[in-house]
């Protein structure tokens, strides 16, 4: 079974959208799939697939009542896809006791399926990082905005530190060294992982060798969602460079997904976008991502990563896909104009409206900026 944790540094970037549609796409290919909503306290995965949840058959109920785990794996109307609901019966993932976390992870690892898709909550709580590290092939989904890309990188940074802490056990020289650094958070934040590894080698070579082996196997997969232009795909390169330079971590690019208003219509209909409109640009992007996963090798942290020398750069491929999808989107507009569904005048009016909205947003941003500058000059804390 390949475990596919889906995470992000911040909310609202499309984790549930991807988790649901990817699960269904994998199921359509004939694979047995289980998807689990692990955003406890803010569960919404069932809304994307139109699944009516049973409060008695949910993760929250199972963790509280100690029932049979198989009883909360519910069938869906989608081929080969089962669903584990999350709910608000417990305060959230951060409230899980160590024994509950161990029990949950053990249950996940013993599920009978080809793929287990975990829709994780946003943020970097320890339980989220631990669930993300159930596989070296977890997916981090982000968006082109500055905050989203920064949070995507910070999530990966926290994942590397969590992997490091779980490698150096308590009372080992390496763990003691990390504890000293942890008390000096400023130095720890500034320290490059490659330099930290060199320091740990001197005090604990055996565990450092194990950590380096796990880092070679650790290949998170990035998805850039909500792009509007092919140039937005370039933002993924910033995350890649930062991970390589500061973390000593190599990531892979799984693909891009354009912003699509059809997703809102699909959600209001409680249908996954690949079911609502399979030929949509967004749907085709998800199918493309699913195909990459289907052809990928399942790895564990106990296996050293062996890159395929003949394989193409995944980031270059993603940039090409961004251009292809953009051309496809434009061709759709041409079809609407050519068929008479959308007149040239209506198209021009639509563009004018969008330009007006952009201008208004720019004015609001300038006004907000001037207020911030004025407040700062008066000595207020922002």
């Amino acid at each position: 079974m390949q475990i596919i944790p889906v995470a992000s540094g911040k909310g609202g970037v499309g984790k549930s959208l991807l988790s649901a549609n990817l699960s269904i796409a994998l199921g359509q290919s004939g694979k047995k799939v289980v998807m689990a909503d692990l955003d406890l306290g803010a569960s919404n995965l069932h809304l994307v697939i139109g699944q009516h949840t049973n409060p008695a058959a949910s993760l929250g109920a199972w963790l509280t009542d100690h029932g049979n785990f198989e009883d909360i794996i519910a069938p869906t109307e989608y081929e080969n896809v089962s669903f584990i609901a999350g709910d608000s019966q417990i305060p959230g993932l951060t409230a899980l006791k160590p024994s509950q976390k161990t029990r949950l992870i053990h249950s996940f690892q013993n599920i009978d399926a080809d793929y287990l898709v975990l829709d994780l909550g946003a943020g970097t709580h320890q339980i989220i990082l631990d669930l993300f590290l159930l596989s070296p092939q977890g997916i981090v989904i982000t968006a082109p905005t500055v905050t989203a890309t920064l949070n995507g990188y910070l999530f990966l940074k926290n994942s590397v530190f969590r992997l490091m802490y779980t490698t150096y056990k308590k009372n080992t020289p390496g763990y003691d060294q990390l504890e000293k650094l942890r008390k000096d958070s400023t130095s720890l934040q500034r320290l490059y992982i490659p330099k930290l590894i060199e320091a740990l080698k001197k005090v604990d070579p055996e565990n450092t060798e194990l950590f380096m082996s796990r880092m070679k196997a650790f290949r998170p997969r990035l998805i850039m969602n909500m792009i509007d232009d092919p140039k937005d795909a370039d933002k993924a390169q910033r995350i890649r460079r930062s991970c390589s330079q500061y973390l000593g971590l190599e990531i892979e690019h799984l693909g891009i997904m354009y912003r699509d208003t059809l997703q809102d219509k699909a959600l209001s209909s409680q249908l996954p976008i690949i079911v609502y409109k399979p030929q949509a640009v967004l749907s085709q992007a998800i199918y493309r991502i699913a195909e990459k996963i289907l052809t990928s090798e399942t790895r564990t942290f106990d296996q050293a990563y062996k890159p395929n020398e003949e394989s193409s750069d995944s980031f270059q491929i993603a940039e090409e896909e961004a251009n292809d999808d953009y051309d496809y989107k434009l061709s759709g507009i041409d079809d609407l104009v050519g068929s008479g569904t959308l007149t040239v005048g209506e198209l021009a009016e639509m563009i004018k409206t969008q330009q007006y909205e952009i201008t208004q947003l720019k004015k609001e941003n300038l006004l907000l900026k001037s207020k911030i500058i004025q407040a700062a000059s008066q000595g207020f804390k922002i």
Side-chain angles (χ1 to χ4, degrees), residues 153-200:
Y153 165 72
L154 291 176
F155 180 86
L156 289 167
K157 180 178 180 180
N158 278 279
S159 297
V160 170
F161 274 105
R162 183 59 185 162
L163 181 62
M164 181 179 287
Y165 261 90
T166 55
T167 301
Y168 293 90
K169 304 300 180 184
K170 285 187 177 181
N171 301 320
T172 61
Y175 183 87
D176 293 340
Q177 181 83 356
L178 288 173
E179 281 295 287
K180 289 179 183 178
L181 285 170
R182 190 171 64 85
K183 294 174 182 177
D184 185 3
S185 58
T186 303
S187 298
L188 186 61
Q189 291 297 319
R190 292 175 181 173
L191 196 59
Y192 290 16
I193 293 293
K195 289 186 178 180
L196 178 56
I197 289 175
E198 291 302 315
L200 290 168

Side-chain angles (χ1 to χ4, degrees), residues 8-47:
S8 68
K10 68 187 297 291
V13 293
K15 288 191 313 301
S16 296
L17 159 70
L18 176 68
S19 298
N21 285 275
L22 177 60
S23 297
I24 293 168
L26 293 172
Q28 289 174 349
S29 70
K31 300 297 182 181
K32 187 177 179 181
V33 183
V34 175
M35 57 176 166
D37 191 343
L38 285 163
D39 193 0
L40 300 184
S43 305
N44 63 0
L45 188 57
H46 62 285
L47 298 176

Side-chain angles (χ1 to χ4, degrees), residues 17 225 257-258 260 263 273-274 280-287:
L17 159 70
N225 187 25
M257 294 160 57
Y258 272 90
D260 196 333
Q263 168 54 24
I273 184 68
I274 64 171
V281 175
L282 179 56
S283 299
Q284 290 302 307
I286 292 167
Y287 277 122

Side-chain angles (χ1 to χ4, degrees), residues 121-366:
T124 56
H125 297 300
Q126 183 176 307
I127 179 62
I128 294 175
L129 295 175
D130 285 342
L131 290 170
F132 184 74
L133 291 171
L134 286 180
S135 167
Q137 300 168 285
I139 294 174
V140 174
I141 185 167
T142 185
T145 63
V146 175
T147 52
T149 53
L150 175 60
N151 281 303
Y153 165 72
L154 291 176
F155 180 86
L156 289 167
K157 180 178 180 180
N158 278 279
S159 297
V160 170
F161 274 105
R162 183 59 185 162
L163 181 62
M164 181 179 287
Y165 261 90
T166 55
T167 301
Y168 293 90
K169 304 300 180 184
K170 285 187 177 181
N171 301 320
T172 61
Y175 183 87
D176 293 340
Q177 181 83 356
L178 288 173
E179 281 295 287
K180 289 179 183 178
L181 285 170
R182 190 171 64 85
K183 294 174 182 177
D184 185 3
S185 58
T186 303
S187 298
L188 186 61
Q189 291 297 319
R190 292 175 181 173
L191 196 59
Y192 290 16
I193 293 293
K195 289 186 178 180
L196 178 56
I197 289 175
E198 291 302 315
L200 290 168
K201 270 184 184 178
K202 297 176 182 178
V203 297
D204 196 341
E206 183 178 349
N207 284 315
T208 303
E209 189 66 29
L210 175 59
F211 174 67
M212 291 172 65
S213 173
R214 289 180 173 179
M215 280 293 287
K216 286 178 182 178
F218 191 26
R219 284 297 184 279
R221 299 179 285 193
L222 184 72
I223 291 177
M224 184 64 70
N225 187 25
M226 298 179 176
I227 74 171
D228 296 305
D229 187 275
K231 292 180 181 178
D232 289 339
D234 297 340
K235 304 293 176 62
Q237 290 286 2
R238 298 181 183 178
I239 300 177
R240 180 193 199 181
R241 287 192 293 268
S242 295
C243 286
S244 179
Q245 181 177 353
Y246 300 111
L247 307 180
L249 174 67
E250 299 302 323
I251 62 176
E252 297 176 1
H253 202 324
L254 202 53
I256 55 90
M257 294 160 57
Y258 272 90
R259 191 190 305 272
D260 196 333
T261 54
L262 282 175
Q263 168 54 24
D264 294 332
K265 294 181 180 179
L267 185 59
S268 64
S269 303
Q270 293 198 352
L271 285 173
I273 184 68
I274 64 171
V275 175
Y276 184 79
K277 191 171 183 181
Q279 68 272 30
V281 175
L282 179 56
S283 299
Q284 290 302 307
I286 292 167
Y287 277 122
R288 195 165 53 213
I289 290 166
E291 183 62 29
K292 292 177 183 178
I293 290 174
L294 286 166
T295 57
S296 67
E297 179 186 358
T298 300
R299 299 194 300 270
T300 69
F301 279 110
D302 296 326
Q303 297 169 331
Y305 179 66
K306 297 178 182 178
N308 184 354
E309 298 296 340
E310 298 178 358
S311 64
S312 301
D313 187 325
S314 61
F315 282 78
Q316 179 63 37
I317 292 173
E319 289 174 8
E320 293 171 0
E321 290 170 350
N323 283 296
D324 290 343
D325 284 0
Y326 189 69
D327 291 341
Y328 182 76
K329 285 184 71 176
L330 291 182
S331 69
I333 295 176
D334 290 341
D335 291 341
L336 289 173
V337 175
S339 64
T341 304
L342 187 67
T343 66
V344 174
E346 288 171 334
L347 177 61
E349 187 63 31
M350 185 172 66
I351 293 172
K352 286 179 183 178
T353 302
Q354 289 179 339
Q355 288 176 336
Y356 173 77
E357 290 175 353
I358 291 171
T359 301
Q360 291 300 110
L361 285 172
K362 286 181 178 179
K363 288 180 179 179
E364 290 174 8
N365 285 338
L366 286 172

